[in-house]
């Protein structure tokens, strides 16, 4: 945020946080995008920032939620929700009961469905505008926020949006500060009841760990499918870029299979 940017003294910000999942170990942690949302909210001058989470208070999720408290907060509001529920109605009710002027959250969760639709569905239910890819909140004056939106290739776009509004952040937002152990342990998880809506669609789905995508082959694009077939066969036979000709279907298939194994696509 620029030094000259100013915010309304009464600006109230709610940051929606979730329990993340470490991509390597699989352990519960504070979600990276949500932690960036917290960091961005803390950078808005003269703003009152509240943390809100809808979910359970399981043993593995509590340390992750306390990771947000360690960023300098005394309390986090926990809307209790059992596993397998749709948190959208509970979040909408909580925000509607005490509406903030600005809601900030990550673009998608690190576990569960992770579709990235929650901010948009929440904005639709509340009747608020939504802005994605936020990089900074430059100023808030007379109920209008000036936002800096991140675009591809490092570009930025300045937008004005009337509050209340929901904004999402991604990797372009400021990196989150390290969570301090003492404040994280002393902080309070204020559990409040919320309406429970069973997610029937999610209950019928079958999930499995995602598999690593296969490597892309570094083969020069050919003009036709026949040329690509010959080029792959040539590389598999060590042709040094020369195209094999007059090969049978079996010979070509064997050459391509050999190439895929060499490139690590097949084991």
């Amino acid at each position: 945020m620029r030094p000259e940017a100013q915010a309304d003294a009464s600006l109230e910000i709610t940051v929606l946080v979730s329990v993340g999942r470490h991509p390597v170990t699989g352990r519960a942690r504070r979600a990276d995008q949500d932690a960036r949302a917290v960091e961005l909210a803390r950078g808005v001058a003269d703003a009152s920032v509240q943390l809100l989470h809808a979910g359970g208070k399981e043993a593995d999720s509590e340390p992750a939620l306390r990771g947000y408290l360690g960023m300098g907060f005394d309390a986090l509001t926990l809307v209790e929700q059992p596993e397998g529920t749709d948190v959208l109605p509970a979040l909408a009710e909580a925000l509607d009961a005490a509406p903030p002027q600005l809601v900030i959250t990550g673009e998608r969760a690190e576990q569960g469905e992770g579709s990235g639709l929650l901010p948009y569905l929440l904005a639709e239910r509340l009747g608020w505008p939504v802005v994605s890819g936020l990089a900074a909140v430059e100023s808030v004056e007379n109920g209008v926020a000036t936002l800096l939106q991140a675009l591809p290739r490092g570009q930025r776009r300045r937008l004005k949006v009337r509050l209340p509004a929901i904004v999402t952040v991604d990797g372009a937002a400021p990196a989150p500060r390290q969570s301090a152990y003492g404040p994280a342990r002393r902080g309070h998880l204020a559990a409040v009841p919320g309406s429970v809506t069973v997610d029937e669609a999610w209950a019928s789905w079958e999930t499995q760990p995602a598999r690593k995508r296969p490597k892309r082959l570094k083969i020069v694009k050919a003009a036709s499918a026949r040329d690509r077939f010959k080029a792959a066969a040539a590389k598999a036979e060590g042709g040094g870029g020369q195209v094999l000709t007059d090969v049978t279907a079996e010979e070509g298939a064997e050459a391509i299979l050999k190439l895929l194994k060499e490139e690590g696509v097949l084991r």
Side-chain angles (χ1 to χ4, degrees):
M1 192 175 115
R2 298 178 305 177
E4 65 271 21
Q6 295 182 350
D8 291 342
S10 59
L11 179 64
E12 295 183 358
I13 300 177
T14 295
V15 183
L16 305 183
V17 296
S18 62
V19 178
R21 187 73 61 186
H22 194 279
V24 178
T25 64
R27 294 181 179 178
R29 65 166 189 176
R30 59 177 186 176
D32 179 70
Q33 291 184 359
D34 293 346
R36 291 176 182 270
V38 175
E39 187 66 33
L40 188 146
R42 285 183 55 90
V44 180
D46 301 323
S48 174
V49 182
Q50 306 293 329
L51 304 180
L52 178 63
H53 170 72
K57 193 178 178 181
E58 294 82 5
D60 61 336
S61 64
E62 182 174 349
L65 296 177
R66 290 193 174 276
Y68 297 108
L69 292 172
M71 298 177 69
F73 293 88
D74 297 329
L76 181 151
T77 301
L78 174 64
V79 182
E80 294 184 303
Q81 295 284 286
E83 186 177 359
T85 58
D86 184 2
V87 301
L88 176 63
L91 286 175
E93 290 179 5
L95 293 175
D96 190 53
Q101 293 172 278
L102 187 63
V103 174
I104 308 178
T105 185
E107 288 199 336
R108 58 176 48 84
E110 293 181 352
Q111 59 177 323
E113 185 175 346
S115 65
L117 290 176
L118 179 63
Y120 300 93
L121 296 175
L122 190 59
E124 180 182 28
R125 177 165 296 203
L126 296 174
W128 296 0
V130 60
V131 178
S132 62
L134 188 67
V137 177
E138 292 192 327
S139 65
V140 178
E141 298 177 356
N142 301 322
V144 177
T146 302
L147 310 175
L148 200 62
Q149 185 184 41
L151 299 177
R153 300 181 180 179
Q155 301 181 71
R156 296 291 186 267
R157 176 168 57 188
R158 184 169 287 107
L159 302 173
K160 290 185 180 292
V161 59
R162 182 164 294 280
L163 303 179
I166 296 178
V167 296
T168 67
V169 304
D170 56 13
R177 68 191 63 194
Q178 186 176 0
S179 178
Y181 179 79
R185 299 307 305 169
R186 291 191 297 268
H188 178 55
L189 297 177
V192 297
S195 62
V196 177
T197 304
V198 178
D199 192 344
E200 298 180 357
W202 172 257
S204 63
W205 292 358
E206 294 183 2
T207 61
Q208 62 182 9
R211 295 186 300 176
K212 185 178 180 180
R213 294 183 178 181
K215 295 168 56 179
R216 299 189 64 177
L217 300 181
K218 298 179 181 179
I219 298 177
V220 178
K221 294 183 179 179
S224 64
R226 181 179 177 83
D227 293 337
R228 291 195 297 270
F229 171 81
K230 291 181 178 179
K235 184 172 182 179
E237 293 295 335
Q242 299 179 357
V243 177
L244 294 180
T245 59
D246 300 328
V247 294
T248 64
E250 290 76 9
E251 293 172 341
E254 184 177 353
I256 292 176
L257 182 61
K258 180 180 178 182
L259 170 65
L260 294 177
K261 290 181 178 180
E262 290 178 353
E263 293 290 339
V265 178
L266 298 178
R267 296 183 179 274

